Amino acid sequence: MKVIVIGSGFAGLSVATKLASEGYDVEVIEKNDDLGGRARVFEVDGFKFDMGPSWYWMPDVFENYFAEFGKKVSDYYNLVRLDPSYKVIFDQNDEIDLPADRKSLDALFESIEKGSAKGLKKFLNQAKYKYDVGVGEFVWKPSVSLMEFMDPRLVTKAFSLDLFASFASHIRKFFKHEKLLKLMEFPILFLGATPENTPALYSLMNYAEIALGTWYPMGGMNEIIKGMVSLAEEKGVQFRTGVSVKKIIVENKLANSVMLANGEIIEADLVVGGADYHHIESSLLEPQYRNYSKTYWENRTMAPSSLLFYLGVDRKVEKLIHHNLFFDEDFSLHAKEIYEEPKWPSKPLFYVCAPSKTDDTVAPVGKENIFILVPIAPGLADDDSTREKYYHILMDRLETYVGHDIRSQVSYKRSFAVSDFISEYNSFKGNAYGLANTLKQTAILKPSLKNKKVENLFYTGQLTVPGPGVPPSLISGIVVAKEIMKRYGENISSQNAGEIVAV
């Protein structure tokens, strides 16, 4: 049975590899010249830049992914735990390094707010339960029917997951000090809603961050992609890069082929959309075959876009560690200007990644690889003058913090923002992280992984279940593959494609 997978991001690679391992004939079509989707890499003048994800959380999800095929993470890349996990800068003379060691972290919390170490223990115990149930059970539901959630055991657990309480109110049961609240709320900034509008369920992110640790694959995040591609090829997946899909051809409610931009037509028994869901619906399918209307998409709450700068610096930059969060401005104001009153931020918070502090292969000797990210509202206009304005706003604050000039030592500079997310990834409104994780966009309320009008068309990735982020995208691919296998047969290597029928 021939399967065409559109897009080679984490979800596309995941679904392709799982299906190929079960005997399906799988070909991945990638519009860009390089595989990996948002997790691509580029090199220039001895600097090696990861273009997208830079945080490696939930290591168990990666281990479980490779174990699905009898492999280990260590078969493909060398993983190291970062200690400190990251640094938070509150102002010029006030910063915190988050230790990886739990005892040291307890002592840090206690030094900020007396009694908070006990609060942290209680908070993490609850967060662990949410992580075990949420990541262990709920995220594996394909969410194509409410009946999936009618298991009394799961219903009982759902009430223990704080689905209907806000993260902001939940966290304030354990901590009062503003610094600790900022530390605990920062992962929420990337989930697509303010802490006030994010379900308390997502304290599971804090458990992942604190208890499971912050890690880094030596050589960069693209090493994960390299490992996944190697595994996929081992299982027989074929790749075609540098050509985009122009149309999914549907006849008699079946997607029987895809047309490429060069006019070539590739026949298929199954099609899986691993590219942007909205793009597939609005650009590759005729209107009568779309799951959702233009109005539906306009009413979705999207996760942020980002303004990114990739900088090659011809000197070492002082004071930075691998991950650095600049919380020296008002968190609430920035969040409001992303989610509630979308506009370019007045006083942006930002993130600086300096992987060359950990990995000497990503920059020449004596130089620094710097990646700067500002979360911004999707859909903003991002002309060159606006990017340059923010570059200097960020660099003014960064140089003040490190205590020396950087700009005159920047030998390479590249920016990436909303319009690039659209042109490079066909991203809806230029979002960087998919759909926001709000209660109204959870599980069965997310866009369906199955096309309702085309029998053999499926979707995977961060705009469908289980949601945004690298680990959820890996899971999404496996979930979709297993849903396909349930409908078309689990291991077809010994069967003829013509004998496979949907059940």
Side-chain angles (χ1 to χ4, degrees):
M1 178 171 270
K2 178 62 179 280
V3 182
I4 296 295
V5 177
I6 304 170
S8 69
F10 285 103
L13 292 174
S14 175
V15 67
T17 305
K18 181 59 179 175
L19 290 177
S21 74
E22 296 293 333
Y24 290 75
D25 176 12
V26 183
E27 184 171 4
V28 176
I29 310 296
E30 169 56 53
K31 72 180 285 288
N32 293 308
D33 293 332
D34 303 314
L35 299 172
R38 285 166 168 80
R40 292 184 297 153
V41 66
F42 72 94
E43 299 186 44
V44 59
D45 300 334
F47 296 98
K48 181 180 178 183
F49 296 100
D50 280 314
M51 294 189 68
S54 59
W55 293 83
Y56 192 111
W57 282 346
M58 303 185 184
D60 55 316
V61 174
F62 295 88
E63 290 287 357
N64 290 339
Y65 173 77
F66 285 104
E68 185 85 24
F69 310 100
K71 301 290 185 178
K72 301 186 297 293
V73 160
S74 58
D75 292 333
Y76 298 99
Y77 52 90
N78 178 28
L79 200 60
V80 296
R81 185 168 184 175
L82 301 181
D83 189 8
S85 298
Y86 56 91
K87 178 196 295 282
V88 180
I89 296 97
F90 295 105
D91 63 41
Q92 177 64 25
N93 300 306
D94 188 2
E95 63 185 58
I96 293 175
D97 286 354
L98 271 290
D101 174 68
R102 179 60 190 279
K103 288 185 179 179
S104 299
L105 186 64
D106 285 345
L108 171 64
F109 270 57
E110 199 67 21
S111 70
I112 297 171
E113 178 184 327
K114 189 172 182 180
S116 62
K118 289 184 179 179
L120 178 62
K121 180 179 180 180
K122 185 176 180 182
F123 172 81
L124 288 178
N125 284 341
Q126 293 187 19
K128 181 181 186 302
Y129 176 82
K130 294 171 188 175
Y131 187 89
D132 290 344
V133 175
V135 178
E137 298 186 49
F138 275 93
V139 298
W140 293 98
K141 299 293 181 183
S143 297
V144 294
S145 168
L146 274 173
M147 295 306 296
E148 299 168 32
F149 300 93
M150 291 300 102
D151 181 336
R153 184 176 55 87
L154 288 180
V155 172
T156 301
K157 288 183 176 181
F159 285 102
S160 302
L161 294 178
D162 286 328
L163 283 171
F164 304 105
S166 77
F167 187 89
S169 62
H170 178 69
I171 199 73
R172 282 161 176 78
K173 295 177 182 177
F174 305 94
F175 312 105
K176 304 299 180 187
H177 199 285
E178 191 64 24
K179 284 184 183 178
L180 296 184
L181 295 175
K182 286 183 177 181
L183 287 175
M184 304 305 281
E185 288 181 342
F186 106 80
I188 302 303
L189 192 63
F190 299 97
L191 290 177
T194 62
E196 290 77 14
N197 293 324
T198 299
L201 163 67
Y202 290 102
S203 62
L204 64 85
M205 294 291 292
N206 300 97
Y207 175 77
E209 164 210 340
I210 293 172
L212 303 182
T214 300
W215 301 76
Y216 174 76
M218 296 299 289
M221 294 291 285
N222 187 256
E223 295 300 306
I224 311 168
I225 293 294
K226 289 181 181 177
M228 292 180 70
V229 170
S230 176
L231 176 58
E233 290 177 334
E234 181 182 327
K235 297 299 180 182
V237 176
Q238 299 294 310
F239 292 96
R240 190 180 305 209
T241 60
V243 62
S244 58
V245 174
K246 183 178 181 180
K247 183 178 181 180
I248 298 172
I249 299 172
V250 179
E251 294 182 3
N252 299 321
K253 297 184 179 181
L254 290 173
N256 60 24
S257 58
V258 300
M259 177 186 292
L260 305 184
N262 61 12
E264 181 181 355
I265 293 177
I266 306 176
E267 294 184 354
D269 299 300
L270 285 166
V271 177
V272 180
D276 182 271
Y277 198 127
H278 171 266
H279 168 71
I280 293 170
E281 291 257 300
S282 63
S283 299
L284 306 188
L285 282 175
E286 294 179 5
Q288 66 267 32
Y289 300 124
R290 297 170 187 170
N291 271 349
Y292 304 106
S293 67
K294 181 178 179 180
T295 300
Y296 171 90
W297 286 109
E298 289 298 331
N299 289 331
R300 295 309 91 192
T301 301
M302 304 307 297
S305 185
S306 298
L307 170 61
L308 308 171
F309 292 101
Y310 309 98
L311 306 178
V313 184
D314 289 345
R315 62 157 293 168
K316 285 296 184 182
V317 177
E318 305 300 331
K319 297 179 71 173
L320 295 180
I321 62 173
H322 193 116
H323 295 301
N324 310 267
L325 298 162
F326 282 77
F327 277 15
D328 50 340
E329 295 290 0
D330 186 351
F331 180 102
S332 297
L333 175 62
H334 191 156
K336 184 177 182 180
E337 291 173 341
I338 294 175
Y339 307 119
E340 297 174 9
E341 299 175 6
K343 61 183 177 181
W344 281 93
S346 309
K347 297 180 178 180
L349 282 66
F350 65 102
Y351 157 63
V352 178
C353 182
S356 46
K357 295 293 185 183
T358 302
D359 186 351
D360 60 12
T361 70
V362 299
V365 175
K367 301 185 180 185
E368 210 80 271
N369 176 320
I370 300 292
F371 168 96
I372 302 177
L373 181 152
V374 183
I376 59 175
L380 298 179
D382 62 333
D383 55 76
D384 290 341
S385 62
T386 300
R387 296 187 190 198
E388 195 65 9
K389 169 189 172 182
Y390 277 86
Y391 172 69
H392 290 292
I393 289 173
L394 303 177
M395 294 303 285
D396 283 345
R397 285 160 59 190
L398 180 56
E399 288 178 341
T400 297
Y401 169 69
V402 301
H404 62 75
D405 170 71
I406 300 174
R407 273 169 283 198
S408 68
Q409 298 297 308
V410 173
S411 60
Y412 178 80
K413 173 186 167 188
R414 176 181 177 183
S415 64
F416 197 98
V418 178
S419 58
D420 299 297
F421 280 102
I422 294 171
S423 63
E424 296 284 327
Y425 309 123
N426 294 312
S427 171
F428 181 52
K429 294 184 177 180
N431 80 83
Y433 305 101
L435 278 179
N437 271 327
T438 62
L439 181 58
K440 294 181 180 180
Q441 296 181 162
T442 296
I444 200 165
L445 300 178
K446 289 184 183 292
S448 175
L449 62 76
K450 172 74 173 64
N451 188 288
K452 302 167 187 176
K453 302 170 185 177
V454 182
E455 176 61 36
N456 59 341
L457 175 58
F458 298 80
Y459 305 87
T460 188
Q462 56 187 13
L463 282 174
T464 184
V465 291
V470 176
S473 292
L474 285 177
I475 292 170
S476 179
I478 299 295
V479 169
V480 173
K482 289 184 176 180
E483 186 66 13
I484 289 171
M485 289 152 51
K486 183 171 70 176
R487 293 167 184 256
Y488 289 89
E490 290 201 0
N491 190 318
I492 65 168
S493 58
S494 61
Q495 303 178 39
N496 295 320
E499 295 173 351
I500 303 299
V501 293
V503 293

